[in-house]
Amino acid sequence: MSAATLTISSRNYSSWSLRGWLICKMSGLAFETELLTGTDASTRAELLHLSPSFLVPRLQHGSVAVWDTLSIAQYLHEILPGSGLLPEDIAARAHCRSISGEMHGGFINLRSALPMNLKARHADFKVFNGAAGDIDRIVTIVEDCLARYDGAYLFGEAPTLADAMYAPVCTRFRTYDVPLPPRIADYRDRILAWPLMAEWAEQALAEPEDIDELDMEF
C-alpha cells in the first residue's frame, strides 16, 4: 500500500486534527504524522476560528490527497472496508453517518464558547444559553445511541467513526467541568481512557505553547 502522511495542527487545541488522527489510527492505515506549527498562517487561522475552510487534517496517500475529516473517513472505509469505521448494518451505518455529519457541520456555539484545550481545567465554568443548547443536543444523541445499540460506544462494543467525531467534545466536557447525566459521564470517561486518546493526550501535554491567544483566561 502507498505511503501515507497525515498533516495536523496543534494536538492540544485542534479538534479536527484529533478526529482525523483517530480515524486514521482506527482504520489500521500505516501513516506518518506531520505537525504544522503555530507560525504557519493557515494553522493560526484555523485554531483562532478565522478560516472559512480547514485544510487540516490532510491525508496524503500516494497520489491521493484528502483534507476533509468525513472525506478522509469515507476514503479509508472504501480502501479498508474491514476496518470497522462504520457499522456493518445498513441502518446503523446511515445513523452513524448522520450523527457524524451533524457534528461535522453543527454545534458552532459550543465550538466558540468551549474551545478544545486539553491542558486547561475550568471548574464551575458558566455555559451561556447557545452553547447549553448544543450540549443538550449532544447529550440526547449519545443517550439515544447508547440505549439503541446497548454498547460501551455509540454503535456497540467497539468505537466507530461517530466516537472519533464526538471524542473532542468529551475533552471539552472535562475541560469546562460540564455537568452530565451519569451514563453520559461514563461515556465521556470511557472515551478519555481510550488508549488512542491517551496516546494523543500525552503528546498534546508535551506540546510547546506557540499560540498565546488560545490560552485565554475565562
Side-chain angles (χ1 to χ4, degrees), residues 79-217:
I79 66 170
L80 299 165
S83 63
L85 278 175
L86 291 169
E88 293 185 6
D89 177 77
I90 188 170
R93 193 159 63 246
H95 187 196
C96 181
R97 284 191 172 113
S98 294
I99 67 165
S100 296
E102 188 169 349
M103 176 56 69
H104 187 268
F107 307 117
I108 303 302
N109 289 324
L110 175 67
R111 299 185 203 287
S112 299
L114 283 68
M116 190 171 100
N117 188 335
L118 298 183
K119 297 178 182 180
R121 296 290 184 275
H122 300 290
D124 302 316
F125 182 79
K126 183 171 177 58
V127 178
F128 77 92
N129 287 340
D134 284 353
I135 291 169
D136 288 345
R137 173 57 185 157
I138 290 167
V139 166
T140 297
I141 289 170
V142 174
E143 283 182 331
D144 175 58
C145 285
L146 294 177
R148 189 183 305 195
Y149 302 104
D150 193 27
Y153 297 94
L154 294 179
F155 287 86
E157 293 304 319
T160 63
L161 167 62
D163 298 286
M165 294 299 292
Y166 283 75
V169 173
C170 292
T171 74
R172 289 172 160 102
F173 286 163
R174 178 180 61 183
T175 295
Y176 300 97
D177 196 26
V178 176
L180 297 169
R183 194 169 189 185
I184 309 306
D186 288 345
Y187 174 75
R188 173 204 61 202
D189 294 344
R190 188 173 301 111
I191 290 295
L192 295 176
W194 185 8
L196 290 180
M197 286 291 288
E199 180 182 346
W200 177 276
E202 181 180 4
Q203 295 180 69
L205 295 177
E207 188 174 81
E209 307 295 348
D210 54 11
I211 304 184
D212 294 336
E213 302 97 307
L214 288 167
D215 278 320
M216 62 186 74
E217 292 295 330

Side-chain angles (χ1 to χ4, degrees), residues 5-11 14-29 31-35 56-59 68-69 72-73 76 85 116 118 161 164-165 167-168 194-204:
T5 300
L6 181 73
T7 301
I8 64 171
S9 57
S10 169
R11 288 185 174 90
S14 177
S15 59
W16 292 110
S17 292
L18 171 55
R19 291 181 178 104
W21 184 85
L22 286 173
I23 289 165
C24 288
K25 295 289 281 190
M26 291 165 65
S27 74
L29 179 72
F31 68 97
E32 299 292 330
T33 302
E34 178 185 53
L35 179 66
V56 292
R58 175 190 174 93
L59 178 65
D68 174 84
T69 308
I72 290 172
L76 292 174
L85 278 175
M116 190 171 100
L118 298 183
L161 167 62
M165 294 299 292
W194 185 8
L196 290 180
M197 286 291 288
E199 180 182 346
W200 177 276
E202 181 180 4
Q203 295 180 69

